[in-house]
Amino acid sequence: MARSTIVKNLDTGTIYPSLLECGVALGITRGDLSAVAKLCGPEVTVAGHRLRFIPNRGVCHYKKKPRLKIRCIETGETFHSAVEAGKFAGRSPNTIYQAARRGFCCGGYHWRYIRENEKA
């Protein structure tokens, strides 16, 4: 299933923007709707309602945070992400991320995130 699924009630023509909203309206849990959609396909009858599940591959309802570049203070080298910096230092991206956030040393280096308006 896609991250967000639109549900259309074929009996009434009502369109629900998500499994959760459909479940609330029809008295069915979101988990049950999701399981039925995965097991039975795009058109099913659930609790006496004929439903069509439509994967929503459009614009997400949440905004993903932009990935910030990260700089090694000692070498001055700039990396596009904590993943790249972690490969350089031989550490996990999470430890690099925490070191940059809190000002700690990780892998023998100090790290700092670079904001968009700063020079790399």
Side-chain angles (χ1 to χ4, degrees), residues 7-8 53 55 62 64 73 75 85 90 100-101 118:
V7 183
K8 181 176 183 178
F53 300 104
Y62 62 91
K64 192 173 179 181
I73 303 299
T75 65
R101 274 189 64 222
E118 289 183 52

Side-chain angles (χ1 to χ4, degrees), residues 69-81:
K69 291 183 180 181
I70 190 165
R71 178 183 293 144
C72 175
I73 303 299
E74 285 77 11
T75 65
E77 193 169 350
T78 301
F79 300 91
H80 291 286
S81 66

Side-chain angles (χ1 to χ4, degrees), residues 46-57:
V46 180
H49 303 280
R50 290 184 322 129
L51 304 176
R52 175 179 290 147
F53 300 104
I54 306 162
N56 183 6
R57 303 187 195 284

